Amino acid sequence: MSDIEIAQRATLRPIIDLARERLGIPAEHLDPYGHYKAKLSLDYIKSLDAKPDGRLILVTAISPTPAGEGKTTTTVGLGDALNRIGKKTVMCLREPSLGPCFGMKGGAAGGGYAQVVPMEDINLHFTGDFHAIGVAHNLLSALIDNHINHGNALDIDPRRIQWKRVVDMNDRALRKIVVGLGGTANGYLREDGFDIVVASEVMAILCLASGLKDLKERLGRIIVGYKSDGKTPVYARDLKAQGAMAALLKDALKPNLVQTLENNIAIIHGGPFANIAHGCNTVTATRTALKLADYVVTEAGFGADLGAEKFIDIKCRMAGLEPAAVVLVATVRALKFHGGVSKEKLNSENLADLEKGFANLEKHVRNIQEHYCLPCVVSINHFSFDTDAEIALLQQRCESLGVPAVVAKHWAHGGAGAEELARTVADVVDRRPGRHRFVYPDEASLWDKIETIAVKIYGAGGISADPKIRQQIEAWNVDYGSYPVCMAKTQMSFSTDPNAKGAPRGHTVHIREARLANGAGFIVAIAGDMMTMPGLPKVPAAEHIDVDENGRITGLF
């Protein structure tokens, strides 16, 4: 059966009952959205402050390929398996964006028999969090243009407005637009553009905020542009925008509770992409899960060079989180792709190219061990075409790096197929918990932080930028030098060339653009040709999605 058919045949339990039985959450602290989704009250979350934290396990992956890796599927399968072996576990995931759902990647609720449900709701509108984020963001856009239209008392330079609009869809036609056409009744003429909602600074702020007060303060310090002197920043608080924006986000700040196919609790909250944003679910969700469970399994987007680095250097740095171990997801098929095998031939045994492609996994493992300083377990996400010889070679090569590699069959068998992985991860966490190290220190310059990530994590020879971009980055050191850096880079490679497979070394990472996310508290460095508004593929997934006369959705994956 397809993922959606498996999900639609699942036996779901009312989330109010499940949360009370599994986690002891009283019904009055849950706001139900139907029978199987609910938001957890912030008052209840505050009441958990005195409880000890559980162990935090990060799931990440090798560099993505068209062959598939299965990071979210592994997060769900591992969580189910830990519960099966008697470890009280909660999973923390990001909310899917509509862009990839209707584009190339599809949904993000897991797959096979390791899914979170209700799958259609989670992948489509869910509880409306992304809608609230998009509206709050675009309210600020409207207030900027309205202020200028009515006299511009703040002296905002229309040529130096930094705040784009957003929409939760892949739409390349909106990357660069002109607004104000049609005469003075429609405002004033200027260039503008759209990003996807998951790249919005409002998304990052929601994910990093510690509560409503912090949320509003962060929203207020967003820099929307500069005055006509070219130097003086204009903040969202100057437009008196933060109150209304926070009001729109009040409910979105509450974490969402759902369940897996095996009726275990998962918290799904926030959804920044890891290739153009910081790639982690909300701090609120992770902190809450750590109070509710003995083990928390969370994921960071795309490969360990992007999501895991940002999880460590941005989320853990800001929130004071301490991961105990990292699970690195790989597949035989993906590693053969990194070794040069075409997508059409991935189902045939090929030990030579598997060995060659292992360089990608090796680089990620060494980053985790040497730069993040965390214990690592490799999860081999099993495909039926994998041969015994290929599995043996992969496990042997992992053993040479000092990391266990466990075959996991959760896609086909749910939690039961990942029990060996669960026991291995629990043993590492219980016996040898890690204490992470940041890739760069707070006091390093912004330029040095970017270069350190490129050289240490990507294996680059160095970085470059046009003089204007480098001058801007260096000028920000005066007021924002302590900020971490959020790299926007292709997820497909350690380099900025998505076609450079394996583990390229000595390349130059060119920084095309830099953005200041003052409310979020980091600098965004955009490398190579990375776009913050994706486009749809030639054959988008939307062409296969349908709904019948009974309201049953098909084609979603």
Side-chain angles (χ1 to χ4, degrees):
M1 292 185 291
S2 67
D3 288 349
I4 193 169
E5 289 172 330
I6 293 171
Q8 288 172 341
R9 296 189 185 191
T11 302
L12 277 66
R13 294 192 55 200
I15 194 66
I16 300 293
D17 296 342
L18 202 60
R20 183 182 63 250
E21 293 174 19
R22 296 293 175 91
L23 301 178
I25 301 173
E28 61 266 25
H29 288 293
L30 290 165
D31 298 329
Y33 283 62
H35 298 293
Y36 309 115
K37 302 170 290 182
K39 281 190 168 288
L40 185 58
S41 79
L42 299 180
D43 287 340
Y44 181 75
I45 292 172
K46 289 179 184 177
S47 75
L48 301 173
D49 284 347
K51 295 191 66 175
D53 286 345
R55 299 285 199 182
L56 182 58
I57 300 161
L58 173 66
V59 177
T60 184
I62 62 173
S63 301
T65 71
E69 290 70 52
K71 186 174 65 279
T72 304
T73 306
T74 299
T75 301
V76 176
L78 174 58
D80 280 340
L82 284 165
N83 278 303
R84 285 179 66 91
I85 66 171
K87 308 291 187 181
K88 186 179 180 182
T89 303
V90 168
M91 289 136 274
C92 277
L93 300 169
R94 291 171 299 156
E95 301 178 47
S97 163
L98 291 177
C101 283
F102 294 121
M104 180 183 295
K105 187 174 180 289
Y113 288 90
Q115 294 188 58
V116 281
V117 282
M119 182 262 217
E120 308 100 304
D121 294 5
I122 293 167
N123 276 316
L124 297 179
H125 299 291
F126 200 22
T127 58
D129 291 347
F130 280 24
H131 168 76
I133 291 166
V135 171
H137 181 114
N138 290 329
L139 170 62
L140 182 54
S141 298
L143 290 171
I144 294 166
D145 287 329
N146 183 65
H147 179 86
I148 296 174
N149 183 67
H150 288 290
N152 197 9
L154 291 172
D155 191 29
I156 301 171
D157 187 343
R159 300 166 301 175
R160 292 185 172 88
I161 294 173
Q162 307 296 304
W163 195 251
K164 293 185 177 182
R165 287 165 160 82
V166 295
V167 64
D168 191 32
M169 194 58 60
N170 293 3
D171 193 345
R172 62 174 57 84
L174 294 177
R175 286 173 184 160
K176 292 186 180 295
I177 63 170
V178 176
V179 296
L181 292 170
T184 56
N186 298 327
Y188 60 98
L189 200 66
R190 72 173 181 90
E191 291 185 2
D192 200 353
F194 275 79
D195 289 331
I196 193 166
V197 161
V198 289
S200 167
E201 186 178 352
V202 177
M203 172 69 80
I205 288 170
L206 182 88
C207 290
L208 294 169
S210 59
L212 273 170
K213 182 179 178 181
D214 185 42
L215 174 74
K216 190 156 61 172
E217 193 279 329
R218 287 174 176 271
L219 292 169
R221 69 174 193 242
I222 291 170
I223 294 176
V224 300
Y226 294 87
K227 297 191 176 187
S228 58
D229 62 8
K231 299 178 181 178
T232 306
V234 179
Y235 299 93
R237 61 176 176 260
D238 296 328
L239 293 161
K240 299 180 176 61
Q242 71 272 27
M245 293 173 72
L248 287 168
L249 296 168
K250 176 178 67 70
D251 290 332
L253 190 59
K254 301 173 184 177
N256 307 296
L257 269 62
V258 292
Q259 62 192 286
T260 70
L261 294 175
E262 299 184 14
N263 308 123
N264 293 309
I265 295 291
I267 302 177
I268 303 183
H269 198 213
F273 282 172
N275 56 352
I276 54 178
H278 77 283
C280 306
N281 67 290
T282 68
V283 167
T284 301
T286 304
R287 282 178 171 165
T288 301
L290 287 168
K291 299 297 184 184
L292 293 171
D294 298 324
Y295 298 82
V296 174
V297 184
T298 191
E299 49 93 34
F302 293 122
D305 58 324
L306 287 168
E309 186 273 317
K310 295 168 184 178
F311 179 87
I312 297 294
D313 281 319
I314 296 177
K315 183 173 180 176
C316 290
R317 190 188 299 262
M318 290 188 182
L321 298 173
E322 184 61 68
V326 175
V327 176
L328 182 68
V329 180
T331 65
V332 168
R333 286 163 49 89
L335 290 173
K336 288 191 290 189
F337 187 86
H338 275 291
V341 178
S342 66
K343 187 177 178 181
E344 294 72 27
K345 297 181 179 180
L346 290 175
N347 293 338
S348 301
E349 182 176 280
N350 189 325
L351 298 179
D353 284 321
L354 173 61
E355 175 83 31
K356 184 179 176 183
F358 184 81
N360 185 269
L361 185 149
E362 180 176 8
K363 174 59 176 166
H364 285 296
V365 168
R366 294 199 183 279
N367 284 344
I368 293 165
Q369 292 176 324
E370 298 171 10
H371 300 308
Y372 309 151
C373 291
L374 288 168
C376 178
V377 175
V378 173
S379 173
I380 304 172
N381 191 10
H382 183 262
F383 279 73
S384 58
F385 297 102
D386 300 345
T387 68
D388 291 343
E390 289 174 327
I391 295 292
L393 175 61
L394 182 50
Q395 290 181 315
Q396 178 186 352
R397 293 291 282 112
C398 288
E399 185 180 350
S400 70
L401 297 177
V403 295
V406 182
V407 177
K409 299 183 178 181
H410 44 275
W411 185 88
H413 303 295
E419 286 190 18
E420 183 183 354
L421 175 64
R423 283 188 287 268
T424 302
V425 171
D427 179 67
V428 169
V429 168
D430 294 342
R431 294 176 180 270
R432 302 184 300 278
R435 184 160 185 83
H436 76 273
R437 184 169 67 193
F438 299 125
V439 176
Y440 51 80
D442 286 338
E443 59 270 18
S445 71
L446 294 171
W447 183 263
D448 286 346
K449 289 172 182 175
I450 297 169
E451 188 166 47
T452 299
I453 294 171
V455 173
K456 284 186 176 181
I457 305 302
Y458 305 159
I463 62 175
S464 65
D466 293 342
K468 184 178 180 181
I469 300 300
R470 177 158 189 174
Q471 289 167 12
Q472 177 65 83
I473 293 171
E474 291 178 344
W476 281 336
N477 275 315
V478 176
D479 295 313
Y480 315 106
S482 63
Y483 282 9
V485 169
C486 180
M487 298 293 292
K489 181 188 74 68
T490 177
Q491 70 274 20
M492 307 301 288
S493 173
F494 281 110
S495 74
T496 55
D497 177 5
N499 297 312
K501 303 303 179 187
R505 298 192 63 84
H507 50 278
T508 298
V509 174
H510 183 70
I511 306 304
R512 189 186 84 246
E513 183 184 349
R515 298 180 184 178
L516 172 59
N518 193 48
F522 54 68
I523 305 294
V524 181
I526 301 175
D529 297 327
M530 199 67 216
M531 297 290 181
T532 51
M533 167 54 83
L536 291 170
K538 185 176 181 179
V539 183
E543 293 185 9
H544 307 291
I545 297 171
D546 201 358
V547 59
D548 65 20
E549 62 272 16
N550 297 314
R552 183 174 178 271
I553 293 173
T554 58
L556 189 62
F557 67 95

